[in-house]
Amino acid sequence: MEFKFTETQDKLRAEVRSFLEEELKHGSFEPSNDAWIDGYSKEFSRKVGAKGWIGTIWPKGYGGKEWSFVDRLIITEELLRFGAPVAYHWMSDRQCGPCVIAYGSDEQRKDILPRIIKGEVSFALGMSEPDSGSDLASLQTRAVETEDAFIINGQKIWTSGAHEADYIYLVARTDPDVPKHKGISEFIVDLKLPGITVKPIVDMMNSHHFNEVYFDSVRVPKSALVGERNRGWYQIAVQLDYERSGLERIMSPYPMFHMMLDLARQEPVLYNNPEVRHKLTDLVVKFEVGRLLIYRVAWTLSQGRVPNFESAMAKIYGTAFEQHLSHMATQVLGLSGQLMEDSRWAPLRGLASRSYLFCAGATLRGGTSEILRNIVALRGLGLPSQ
Amino acid sequence: MDLSLSEDQEMLRKMARDFLANECPKTLVREMEEDEKGYSPELWAKMAEQGWTGLPFPEKYGGVGYSFLDLAVLLEEMGRACLPGPYFSTVVLAGGAIMEAGSEEQKQKLLGEISEGKLIATLALTEPSASYKANDIQVTAAAEGGGHVINGTKLFVPDANVADVMVVVARTGGQGAEGLTLFLVDPKASGVSITQLKTIASDKLCEVTFDKVKVGQDAVLGEVGKGWPMVETVLQKAAVAKCAEMVGGAQQVLEMTVNYSKERVQFGRPIGSFQAIQHHCANMAIDVDGSRFISYQAAWMLSEGMPSTKEVAMAKSWTSDAYRRLTALGHQVHGGIGFTKDHDMQLYYRRAKAAEVTFGDGDFHRDVVASEIGLPDPA
Ligand SMILES: Cc1cc2nc3c(=O)[nH]c(=O)nc-3n(C[C@H](O)[C@H](O)[C@H](O)COP(=O)(O)OP(=O)(O)OC[C@H]3O[C@@H](n4cnc5c(N)ncnc54)[C@H](O)[C@@H]3O)c2cc1C
């Protein structure tokens, strides 16, 4: 065992940090919670790309560096720690790129991967539908193959960032006459195609980050199909593991956490209060546990093994932590914990109350904690299914 | 022992529920969140007609003469409906303070006007320190020419933006609980400025600053320097009144959630048939019933005039946490749809956080319980 990083990795972390400190100094961004979801900056993503920090784990043949999953985690940890606006390239780097590498055609790889690596292309994830959330395999959006195209009809919902993205990574039904898991395919669809309508949904924070996406006889070229027709369900499984196993599942409110600890170090009313001390230190301990559960996933991957329940475990733990943190932060701030961003008196720039609202979705998006616990129990612990 | 409501209380509850279902739909709740005033004057007038604004005040002051327990029954329905507006500030806070501290004349005039629905009032207690402790009251009132001059800042003052009168807790001398005095202040008086804060529950909490605000002799509520014990009594009642609101909200969230889990189908069956969801719902039900009994126990004791410091603190510490926990579970069961502004779930989730921190959160009241069970203060 060795709970430390290599010298090269330490150097990498230091480099990412000094880049971010520099950017902060130039005011290129303000640290924000959840910036991997709603911090869209094409310009910033280009800078991260120029640094060579996107697609680092990919094969060299596709422009990657063949770094380890742990290396990638170090980069993302620093980006999240600083609350940098990385939403524009996040999904592409995390899961869409790897899917194209695993299942895409050569044409797709040549087209998409170099652009992802430069931070120049953004994906939204088109999975959930009004009647198909946890039961994703029951999805109804149809893709009908014609001689030279697929014609897509249907509706996606809760699509984060569809109004900012260039493409939607779409799962649709290509064969309605076989068991539900066996008739699904994946597509990369240009969001500018005629027939696509992106309609904003106002979320419970009164902001617009996710959408409904309607497909009305949208004609996509055959080359948009990723991998094999009707094998989509099996392809997605890998994608979901990537989706669930990152540090964004515990660090979404990290900038607020960091500010809160700083505030507590300075404010006698806080540091002199034994309850506050216990709450904060308990959070620090819990965070460290979660961080290790997530590093375990990356480490497992870097050993060439598939973490088939570990990422579910990490996400359950991490998102529960995020909710606990947000609750504790608002509570430690007492009456002031209810002040929102624009209030003159709001401590921590109002990030605590914001985080309290946003965290309600943490245990839902990317697979609910109930579904993930089923995975841990069945796949991880070998418990019998009902 | 009798854990049920009396016939009259059942009637009050039913009337209130029907009335609010008609008069306070969620469209109004949502509209009022964005509204400058934050309440509907027409609805206020109708509530006064029902006798609600005078509910807990004695008949000789123009009130209805109901008990605090009866008031809790009404507040529960208000919490269920997310009733927006200054009812709590006017009746529970300011009305409570006037009842405790006011002279006969003040009670006659002010409680009479409140009961008629003609006067909106509030209590200006907390300050930027965000504390409910007497020690932390720093707004001053200096004696001058027979009256007083008030200076300083109050924060989190509910509904000051629409109040006709504020009960202001200010320091006339001394330290800690000594030397605090209650004043009746006109929010439109020169030197008073009011700014609305932006809050998680979109309620109308305000910053109120006093810049050399002159008030006359008749502005004193009760006796100079003797205000704090009155404030403590009002705070006790307010904490339990808030619990009653929370119980109403919690009951509604439970019902919404159970209904939704019967309707929503995934994997070819209602999600309520999954044990994970059943357990969430069962946990929510335990939290609702626990909150209900611990809160009503305190309300009953206050109503009976019994010493109830410990029971009040137990009620608020439990219910604050239980309501918040329960709304989080409600969201979990509702999935994506509950994360939208259009869904009612968030109305309760946001209010639960506000209610939790108001009038002392769980920690604050657990400290009270600690002294009540004889734990000496930490060195
Ligand atoms: C903030 C946010 C962002 C999102 N972004 C995206 C996005 O970009 N792209 C996208 O495609 N989707 C997105 N989603 C959707 C998300 O993936 C779904 O909300 C999630 O999969 C749950 O589906 P649902 O909302 O339909 O809830 P349901 O599936 O209806 O679940 C309701 C409840 O039932 C439980 N449940 C369901 N089945 C079972 C079972 N078998 N056993 C036990 N419990 C069960 C669930 O755990 C949940 O508690 C987002 C959601 C949120 C909240």
Side-chain angles (χ1 to χ4, degrees):
Chain A
M1 270 198 174
E2 196 176 62
F3 282 81
K4 69 178 192 118
F5 299 99
T6 64
E7 250 176 61
T8 325
Q9 286 170 334
D10 285 338
K11 244 185 74 195
L12 171 62
R13 188 187 294 278
E15 251 177 76
V16 181
R17 268 192 200 192
S18 69
F19 160 75
L20 289 167
E21 273 156 11
E22 237 1 75
E23 289 294 311
L24 261 186
K25 225 190 279 164
H26 296 134
S28 94
F29 70 97
E30 186 173 45
S32 158
N33 285 357
D34 319 300
W36 64 277
I37 302 177
D38 63 7
Y40 277 90
S41 164
K42 205 166 179 170
E43 197 194 334
F44 193 85
S45 285
R46 282 221 179 97
K47 285 186 195 166
V48 178
K51 280 286 177 187
W53 293 332
I54 301 175
T56 49
I57 59 175
W58 304 353
K60 288 192 172 139
Y62 302 130
K65 295 182 161 55
E66 296 182 14
W67 285 1
S68 79
F69 281 86
V70 175
D71 299 329
R72 176 175 179 275
L73 217 55
I74 289 169
I75 298 168
T76 54
E77 183 168 22
E78 295 310 315
L79 292 170
L80 292 163
R81 188 193 307 281
F82 279 76
V86 288
Y88 189 77
H89 72 269
W90 197 262
M91 313 294 167
S92 317
D93 175 51
R94 178 178 77 185
Q95 63 198 87
C96 301
C99 284
V100 170
I101 291 170
Y103 304 108
S105 63
D106 272 342
E107 188 196 334
Q108 283 166 336
R109 290 172 181 156
K110 275 191 206 120
D111 173 35
I112 299 277
L113 298 177
R115 289 194 283 150
I116 293 183
I117 281 189
K118 285 191 207 141
E120 285 178 354
V121 60
S122 181
F123 275 89
L125 305 176
M127 298 192 198
S128 307
E129 297 181 5
D131 293 327
S132 306
S134 298
D135 184 11
L136 181 59
S138 68
L139 60 90
Q140 298 295 321
T141 297
R142 279 283 274 134
V144 176
E145 191 163 9
T146 64
E147 220 161 87
D148 60 343
F150 284 94
I151 309 294
I152 298 179
N153 276 291
Q155 182 203 347
K156 294 292 168 183
I157 196 168
W158 321 128
T159 323
S160 301
H163 56 303
E164 305 270 8
D166 307 298
Y167 295 97
I168 184 164
Y169 202 98
L170 182 75
V171 280
R173 187 159 304 285
T174 33
D175 189 343
D177 301 323
V178 292
K180 60 183 184 179
H181 299 96
K182 297 192 169 151
I184 293 172
S185 303
E186 295 185 294
F187 299 89
I188 290 176
V189 177
D190 188 332
L191 275 163
K192 286 182 290 297
L193 286 180
I196 298 182
T197 313
V198 176
K199 269 181 67 181
I201 305 175
V202 180
D203 65 26
M204 61 187 274
M205 308 183 9
N206 204 13
S207 60
H208 167 209
H209 102 277
F210 59 20
N211 307 273
E212 293 176 284
V213 185
Y214 291 88
F215 298 84
D216 181 8
S217 301
V218 178
R219 200 185 164 77
V220 303
K222 289 212 166 165
S223 59
L225 176 73
V226 183
E228 263 182 74
R229 201 178 153 203
N230 294 338
R231 291 285 304 162
W233 182 256
Y234 307 96
Q235 296 174 191
I236 295 175
V238 176
Q239 169 166 194
L240 289 178
D241 273 342
Y242 289 129
E243 174 169 354
R244 289 165 181 167
S245 58
L247 281 160
E248 66 272 30
R249 300 306 180 179
I250 195 168
M251 291 179 76
S252 303
Y254 193 89
M256 183 270 291
F257 189 25
H258 185 81
M259 284 164 72
M260 184 174 67
L261 294 177
D262 262 354
L263 183 73
R265 285 184 193 103
Q266 290 152 26
E267 276 290 334
V269 265
L270 294 179
Y271 66 70
N272 281 327
N273 180 337
E275 277 146 12
V276 171
R277 293 175 75 91
H278 283 170
K279 278 181 187 158
L280 296 183
T281 49
D282 183 52
L283 285 168
V284 170
V285 174
K286 288 192 167 123
F287 176 74
E288 187 62 16
V289 171
R291 182 173 175 265
L292 289 170
L293 285 175
I294 291 169
Y295 266 101
R296 186 259 295 260
V297 179
W299 173 78
T300 306
L301 282 161
S302 72
Q303 301 298 300
R305 282 183 287 130
V306 179
N308 64 359
F309 72 93
E310 292 89 337
S311 52
M313 190 187 272
K315 182 180 180 279
I316 298 166
Y317 182 96
T319 53
F321 171 83
E322 289 186 349
Q323 294 183 338
H324 181 62
L325 165 65
S326 309
H327 165 45
M328 283 300 133
T330 43
Q331 198 177 69
V332 161
L333 299 172
L335 278 174
S336 310
Q338 63 186 314
L339 295 178
M340 300 295 293
E341 268 150 310
D342 313 328
S343 290
R344 178 161 86 87
W345 292 94
L348 315 182
R349 297 202 327 256
L351 288 182
S353 48
R354 176 200 148 94
S355 151
Y356 187 71
L357 297 182
F358 206 59
C359 76
T363 49
L364 299 170
R365 59 180 185 241
T368 69
S369 293
E370 289 73 24
I371 295 296
L372 299 179
R373 282 195 193 93
N374 289 346
I375 293 178
V376 172
L378 297 175
R379 276 199 238 159
L381 305 174
L383 289 168
S385 62
Q386 289 184 15
Chain B
M1 196 171 223
D2 179 4
L3 298 184
S4 65
L5 297 180
S6 71
E7 247 177 63
D8 286 351
Q9 286 162 347
E10 279 293 356
M11 238 168 67
L12 172 65
R13 192 177 71 99
K14 184 169 181 326
M15 268 176 46
R17 186 168 298 184
D18 294 347
F19 176 87
L20 290 168
N22 285 325
E23 303 288 341
C24 181
K26 290 296 187 296
T27 41
L28 179 80
V29 174
R30 290 163 185 278
E31 210 182 297
M32 289 303 112
E33 287 198 355
E34 319 275 325
D35 188 79
E36 247 328 274
K37 288 204 293 284
Y39 84 109
S40 146
E42 293 108 78
L43 178 53
W44 188 259
K46 286 185 188 166
M47 283 164 47
E49 245 168 65
Q50 302 277 315
W52 290 5
T53 53
L55 196 94
F57 308 128
E59 281 161 293
K60 62 174 172 179
Y61 303 129
V64 179
Y66 276 22
S67 71
F68 183 71
L69 185 61
D70 300 329
L71 178 63
V73 173
L74 178 61
L75 286 162
E76 179 182 337
E77 293 309 312
M78 291 176 169
R80 182 184 177 92
C82 301
L83 174 74
Y87 185 84
F88 199 102
S89 346
T90 303
V91 175
V92 179
L93 298 177
I98 295 163
M99 267 301 287
E100 286 305 318
S103 64
E104 273 307 299
E105 202 188 327
Q106 285 167 331
K107 286 190 212 174
Q108 281 293 350
K109 180 173 179 323
L110 298 171
L111 297 180
E113 287 178 10
I114 290 177
S115 300
E116 286 175 50
K118 288 192 184 139
L119 189 85
I120 290 175
T122 188
L123 176 71
L125 168 65
T126 48
E127 301 186 359
S129 63
S131 155
Y132 286 100
K133 301 211 166 107
N135 254 335
D136 295 316
I137 306 291
Q138 290 181 0
V139 166
T140 56
E144 197 184 286
H148 284 86
V149 180
I150 304 177
N151 275 299
T153 300
K154 292 286 180 187
L155 209 57
F156 312 106
V157 182
D159 308 304
N161 57 317
V162 293
D164 302 303
V165 65
M166 293 186 288
V167 176
V168 179
V169 185
R171 189 165 291 289
T172 36
Q175 271 181 359
E178 304 296 319
L180 291 171
T181 306
L182 309 185
F183 293 93
L184 294 165
V185 180
D186 178 356
K188 285 167 207 78
S190 118
V192 178
S193 47
I194 296 173
T195 321
Q196 280 187 36
L197 304 167
K198 203 158 174 271
T199 59
I200 199 162
S202 300
D203 44 5
K204 308 297 160 185
L205 299 186
C206 302
E207 172 186 356
V208 182
T209 58
F210 300 85
D211 181 18
K212 304 193 202 77
V213 177
K214 291 205 174 82
V215 293
Q217 188 77 58
D218 55 349
V220 176
L221 195 63
E223 279 180 65
V224 173
K226 301 254 162 70
W228 189 252
M230 319 285 177
V231 173
E232 278 188 319
T233 307
V234 172
L235 277 179
Q236 285 223 321
K237 288 196 170 164
V240 177
K242 199 39 95 178
C243 287
E245 274 189 4
M246 289 194 271
V247 169
Q251 181 74 47
Q252 171 66 12
V253 171
L254 172 65
E255 288 171 24
M256 261 163 59
T257 306
V258 168
N259 287 339
Y260 185 72
S261 47
K262 289 179 188 162
E263 287 160 14
R264 171 72 172 171
V265 172
Q266 287 289 276
F267 301 97
R269 41 197 272 207
I271 56 168
S273 69
F274 297 118
Q275 272 194 353
I277 296 298
Q278 293 174 348
H279 289 186
H280 286 335
C281 291
N283 283 331
M284 292 170 73
I286 296 168
D287 273 342
V288 172
D289 286 356
S291 302
R292 173 177 302 285
F293 291 120
I294 196 114
S295 297
Y296 274 94
Q297 169 174 272
W300 176 80
M301 291 179 82
L302 283 171
S303 230
E304 297 289 311
M306 297 160 77
S308 47
T309 309
K310 180 173 150 202
E311 286 73 15
V312 167
M314 291 200 296
K316 183 63 168 64
S317 65
W318 174 264
T319 307
S320 294
D321 289 341
Y323 188 26
R324 197 237 335 123
R325 214 165 34 226
L326 171 137
T327 54
L329 280 180
H331 270 295
Q332 190 61 25
V333 174
H334 276 88
I337 193 77
F339 198 74
T340 59
K341 190 183 184 190
D342 282 348
H343 197 278
D344 288 349
M345 209 32 251
Q346 51 89 12
L347 297 173
Y348 293 91
Y349 182 79
R350 290 187 289 115
R351 280 163 183 72
K353 181 43 87 176
E356 178 197 340
V357 296
T358 306
F359 310 126
D361 65 5
D363 286 341
F364 178 94
H365 286 285
R366 277 185 287 272
D367 261 355
V368 177
V369 175
S371 340
E372 288 296 308
I373 62 169
L375 294 181
D377 281 347

